[in-house]
Amino acid sequence: MQDQYSVEDLLHLMAQLRNPNGGCPWDLKQTFSSIVPSTIEEAYEVAEAIEIEDYEHLHEELGDLLFQVIFYSQLGLEQGHFDFSRIVDTLVRKLVRRHPHVFPSGELYGENDPSAVDEAEVKRSWEAIKAKERNAKGESGVLAGVTAGLPGLTRAGKLQKRAAQVGFDWPDINGVLDKIEEEVAELREAVAAGNREHAGEELGDLLFSCVNAARHLKIDPEAALRQCNRKFERRFGLVEATLRTDGRGPEEASLQELDQLWEQAKADEKQKPGT
């Protein structure tokens, strides 16, 4: 066995998994669309490992995500669309093109400019270059090219960021918070009227406004929600653990008791350092 495998070994492994003669039956029946859910899941597992600072296993999660790219490259090769080398070549060319402050000659191995670069100017240049690339693809409009397949919170933030670049934005967080309160009031009205469809629309407006608040505060809304999910799981686990000491489950407790145990779990957690 080799001391350390390489990307070339990984590409060979993928080809063997997809080999009609002796390959893996599961891998052989996969398509571009069938492995998309796995790609999304692997990306979130990388994000979670980083968020909880599980660096011991991060390299493994990154490997799982890399395998998704390798899988797509094999499918592309088989169908004559592209191969792994073209993926790498396209990526390197795009990154060189988008970093003229690092590669002023437009060449990967050309001489760089040692002078200091203003970060704000870099961001402006980056967006201008991306806009030019979108125009070259025939994608016109400020909001063009914001992938529809992104998670809703992430896509909302990107749409808002694009609009903000042309001045369509609240001047500060206070205007956003006022908008959130307005949307809550409108949601209450829709619920009171018993109009489920309208309530869904107002709820969407409220979520969109919350993402706007996150953007103004420079907080990733997806990361904030994932953190909240973990907190909820942790605290509800404490509620369950307390009930288990009496030989009961949450379904055997009243709502009032569950609320009391929840508040106790919150209080206990806040007393612990680092929480």
Side-chain angles (χ1 to χ4, degrees):
M1 183 178 292
Q2 295 180 225
D3 292 335
Q4 186 167 323
Y5 290 111
S6 66
V7 172
E8 287 71 24
D9 295 318
L10 182 56
L11 289 167
H12 174 73
L13 180 150
M14 186 70 252
Q16 292 305 109
L17 292 177
R18 290 280 298 180
N19 189 336
N21 298 314
C24 172
W26 185 88
D27 290 282
L28 281 167
K29 70 178 183 180
Q30 299 311 308
T31 64
F32 279 108
S33 56
S34 72
I35 61 174
V36 166
S38 296
T39 306
I40 295 172
E41 180 179 346
E42 298 298 353
Y44 275 114
E45 288 182 0
V46 167
E48 181 180 19
I50 293 172
E51 287 169 1
I52 64 176
E53 299 183 354
D54 184 10
Y55 300 120
E56 182 180 353
H57 296 102
L58 178 57
H59 76 283
E60 181 180 351
E61 300 297 351
L62 287 168
D64 292 342
L65 184 56
L66 173 61
F67 182 69
Q68 300 299 305
V69 177
I70 297 296
F71 209 136
Y72 289 120
S73 71
Q74 179 64 29
L75 293 174
L77 175 63
E78 293 170 4
Q79 298 178 27
H81 300 311
F82 54 82
D83 60 8
F84 184 72
S85 63
R86 186 175 177 188
I87 293 174
V88 173
D89 178 71
T90 301
L91 175 61
V92 171
R93 291 179 187 277
K94 178 169 64 177
L95 291 176
V96 168
R97 184 172 64 247
R98 291 183 177 179
H99 292 80
H101 51 290
V102 179
F103 308 102
S105 68
E107 299 293 334
L108 177 60
Y109 294 104
E111 292 186 7
N112 66 350
D113 185 354
S115 59
V117 181
D118 179 66
E119 184 178 354
E121 178 57 35
V122 169
K123 289 182 178 179
R124 285 191 292 270
S125 174
W126 176 274
E127 293 300 334
I129 293 170
K130 291 207 305 185
K132 186 177 180 180
E133 291 173 355
R134 290 194 296 270
N135 288 333
K137 295 178 182 177
E139 299 175 349
S140 59
V142 174
L143 304 181
V146 180
T147 307
L150 288 170
L153 296 180
T154 300
R155 188 163 193 264
K158 286 185 174 293
L159 291 171
Q160 293 167 5
K161 181 181 177 182
R162 287 279 189 87
Q165 288 170 0
V166 295
F168 190 66
D169 195 12
W170 296 100
D172 55 48
I173 186 65
N174 292 319
V176 183
L177 296 178
D178 290 342
K179 185 63 176 176
I180 289 175
E181 292 176 2
E182 177 186 324
E183 297 298 351
V184 169
E186 291 179 359
L187 177 58
R188 289 184 184 277
E189 290 178 7
V191 171
N195 189 329
R196 187 173 182 273
E197 183 177 350
H198 187 205
E201 181 181 349
E202 295 298 345
L203 180 60
D205 292 344
L206 175 58
L207 290 170
F208 193 82
S209 296
C210 288
V211 172
N212 221 341
R215 183 175 59 84
H216 273 263
L217 294 170
K218 295 180 170 50
I219 295 172
D220 178 357
E222 290 282 353
L225 185 55
R226 286 195 296 271
Q227 182 181 20
C228 182
N229 289 340
R230 287 194 294 271
K231 182 171 62 177
F232 181 86
E233 288 178 306
R234 189 170 62 246
R235 289 177 178 175
F236 197 80
L238 292 173
V239 171
E240 289 181 305
T242 301
L243 288 170
R244 276 197 299 269
T245 61
D246 295 332
R248 294 185 296 157
E251 68 280 357
E252 299 172 90
S254 67
L255 178 57
Q256 181 180 8
E257 185 178 9
L258 289 173
D259 282 341
Q260 290 173 344
L261 291 173
W262 177 266
E263 292 301 325
Q264 183 60 52
K266 285 174 60 177
D268 291 346
E269 206 173 49
K270 287 178 181 178
Q271 292 177 359
K272 295 179 181 179
T275 59

